[in-house]
Short mmCIF file of all heavy atoms in Angstrom, two decimals:
data_model
loop_
_atom_site.label_atom_id
_atom_site.label_comp_id
_atom_site.label_asym_id
_atom_site.label_seq_id
_atom_site.Cartn_x
_atom_site.Cartn_y
_atom_site.Cartn_z
N SER A 984 79.05 32.34 -69.00
CA SER A 984 78.80 31.46 -70.16
C SER A 984 78.80 32.17 -71.50
O SER A 984 78.67 31.55 -72.54
CB SER A 984 77.46 30.73 -69.99
OG SER A 984 77.51 29.89 -68.86
N SER A 985 78.94 33.52 -71.47
CA SER A 985 79.00 34.26 -72.73
C SER A 985 79.73 35.58 -72.49
O SER A 985 79.87 36.04 -71.34
CB SER A 985 77.61 34.54 -73.27
OG SER A 985 76.92 35.42 -72.41
N GLY A 986 80.14 36.20 -73.59
CA GLY A 986 80.74 37.50 -73.51
C GLY A 986 79.75 38.58 -73.05
O GLY A 986 80.10 39.52 -72.35
N THR A 987 78.51 38.39 -73.47
CA THR A 987 77.43 39.32 -73.06
C THR A 987 77.36 39.40 -71.54
O THR A 987 77.30 40.50 -70.96
CB THR A 987 76.08 38.83 -73.64
OG1 THR A 987 76.14 38.89 -75.05
CG2 THR A 987 74.92 39.68 -73.14
N GLU A 988 77.39 38.25 -70.89
CA GLU A 988 77.30 38.24 -69.45
C GLU A 988 78.55 38.89 -68.81
O GLU A 988 78.46 39.52 -67.77
CB GLU A 988 77.22 36.80 -68.93
CG GLU A 988 75.92 36.12 -69.20
CD GLU A 988 76.06 34.65 -68.91
OE1 GLU A 988 76.06 34.28 -67.73
OE2 GLU A 988 76.22 33.85 -69.87
N THR A 990 80.49 41.37 -70.03
CA THR A 990 80.46 42.85 -70.09
C THR A 990 79.38 43.41 -69.19
O THR A 990 79.58 44.41 -68.50
CB THR A 990 80.24 43.37 -71.52
OG1 THR A 990 79.04 42.73 -72.05
CG2 THR A 990 81.42 43.03 -72.42
N TYR A 1013 80.88 46.84 -80.00
CA TYR A 1013 79.85 45.90 -79.60
C TYR A 1013 80.28 45.21 -78.32
O TYR A 1013 81.42 44.77 -78.21
CB TYR A 1013 79.61 44.86 -80.70
CG TYR A 1013 78.59 43.81 -80.37
CD1 TYR A 1013 77.24 44.11 -80.26
CD2 TYR A 1013 78.99 42.48 -80.14
CE1 TYR A 1013 76.30 43.16 -79.95
CE2 TYR A 1013 78.04 41.48 -79.83
CZ TYR A 1013 76.71 41.83 -79.76
OH TYR A 1013 75.78 40.86 -79.44
N HIS A 1014 79.38 45.13 -77.37
CA HIS A 1014 79.74 44.50 -76.08
C HIS A 1014 78.68 43.47 -75.68
O HIS A 1014 78.36 43.32 -74.51
CB HIS A 1014 79.88 45.56 -75.01
CG HIS A 1014 80.86 46.64 -75.34
ND1 HIS A 1014 82.23 46.41 -75.39
CD2 HIS A 1014 80.70 47.94 -75.70
CE1 HIS A 1014 82.86 47.53 -75.73
NE2 HIS A 1014 81.94 48.46 -75.91
N GLY A 1015 78.11 42.78 -76.66
CA GLY A 1015 77.04 41.85 -76.34
C GLY A 1015 75.72 42.58 -76.36
O GLY A 1015 75.66 43.78 -76.68
N HIS A 1016 74.64 41.89 -75.97
CA HIS A 1016 73.31 42.47 -76.23
C HIS A 1016 72.54 42.91 -74.99
O HIS A 1016 71.32 42.93 -74.98
CB HIS A 1016 72.49 41.51 -77.10
CG HIS A 1016 72.27 40.16 -76.48
ND1 HIS A 1016 71.24 39.91 -75.62
CD2 HIS A 1016 72.97 39.02 -76.60
CE1 HIS A 1016 71.33 38.64 -75.22
NE2 HIS A 1016 72.37 38.08 -75.78
N GLU A 1075 86.41 48.38 -76.73
CA GLU A 1075 87.18 47.32 -77.38
C GLU A 1075 88.52 47.95 -77.71
O GLU A 1075 88.58 48.85 -78.55
CB GLU A 1075 86.53 46.88 -78.70
CG GLU A 1075 85.20 46.15 -78.60
CD GLU A 1075 84.68 45.83 -80.02
OE1 GLU A 1075 85.29 44.97 -80.67
OE2 GLU A 1075 83.72 46.46 -80.46
N ASN A 1080 84.18 45.10 -84.22
CA ASN A 1080 82.78 44.86 -84.52
C ASN A 1080 82.15 45.96 -85.40
O ASN A 1080 80.94 45.97 -85.62
CB ASN A 1080 81.98 44.71 -83.24
CG ASN A 1080 82.16 43.34 -82.62
OD1 ASN A 1080 81.76 42.34 -83.16
ND2 ASN A 1080 82.86 43.27 -81.47
N ASP A 1108 87.08 45.51 -73.14
CA ASP A 1108 86.35 44.37 -73.62
C ASP A 1108 87.27 43.64 -74.61
O ASP A 1108 87.37 44.00 -75.76
CB ASP A 1108 85.03 44.80 -74.30
CG ASP A 1108 84.26 43.61 -74.83
OD1 ASP A 1108 84.79 42.51 -74.84
OD2 ASP A 1108 83.10 43.81 -75.24
N VAL A 1110 87.00 40.47 -75.47
CA VAL A 1110 86.34 39.23 -75.85
C VAL A 1110 86.92 38.71 -77.18
O VAL A 1110 87.13 37.49 -77.35
CB VAL A 1110 84.82 39.40 -75.90
CG1 VAL A 1110 84.14 38.19 -76.55
CG2 VAL A 1110 84.24 39.60 -74.49
N ILE A 1111 87.20 39.63 -78.09
CA ILE A 1111 87.87 39.21 -79.34
C ILE A 1111 89.40 39.26 -79.21
O ILE A 1111 90.09 38.32 -79.58
CB ILE A 1111 87.41 40.09 -80.54
CG1 ILE A 1111 86.03 39.69 -80.98
CG2 ILE A 1111 88.42 39.98 -81.70
CD1 ILE A 1111 85.49 40.41 -82.19
N LYS A 1136 85.06 34.15 -76.22
CA LYS A 1136 85.52 33.55 -77.49
C LYS A 1136 86.72 32.59 -77.34
O LYS A 1136 86.51 31.46 -76.94
CB LYS A 1136 85.76 34.66 -78.51
CG LYS A 1136 84.44 35.40 -78.76
CD LYS A 1136 84.36 36.24 -79.99
CE LYS A 1136 82.88 36.63 -80.23
NZ LYS A 1136 82.59 38.03 -80.12
N VAL A 1144 81.44 30.50 -73.53
CA VAL A 1144 82.20 30.99 -72.37
C VAL A 1144 82.34 32.52 -72.36
O VAL A 1144 82.19 33.18 -73.37
CB VAL A 1144 83.61 30.32 -72.37
CG1 VAL A 1144 84.70 31.26 -72.73
CG2 VAL A 1144 83.90 29.69 -71.01
C1 PLP B 991 81.32 38.58 -79.31
C2 PLP B 991 81.52 39.76 -78.43
C3 PLP B 991 80.80 39.95 -77.25
C4 PLP B 991 79.65 39.07 -76.85
O1 PLP B 991 80.00 37.78 -76.63
P1 PLP B 991 78.88 36.62 -76.73
O2 PLP B 991 79.60 35.39 -76.25
O3 PLP B 991 78.44 36.60 -78.16
O4 PLP B 991 77.78 37.03 -75.80
C5 PLP B 991 81.14 41.01 -76.43
N1 PLP B 991 82.14 41.84 -76.76
C6 PLP B 991 82.83 41.70 -77.90
C7 PLP B 991 83.97 42.66 -78.18
C8 PLP B 991 82.55 40.68 -78.78
O5 PLP B 991 83.20 40.59 -79.93
#
Side-chain angles (χ1 to χ4, degrees):
S984 296
S985 67
T987 296
E988 289 169 76
T990 54
Y1013 178 70
H1014 304 290
H1016 59 86
E1075 291 179 70
N1080 282 293
D1108 180 351
V1110 169
I1111 284 183
K1136 299 198 168 115
V1144 107

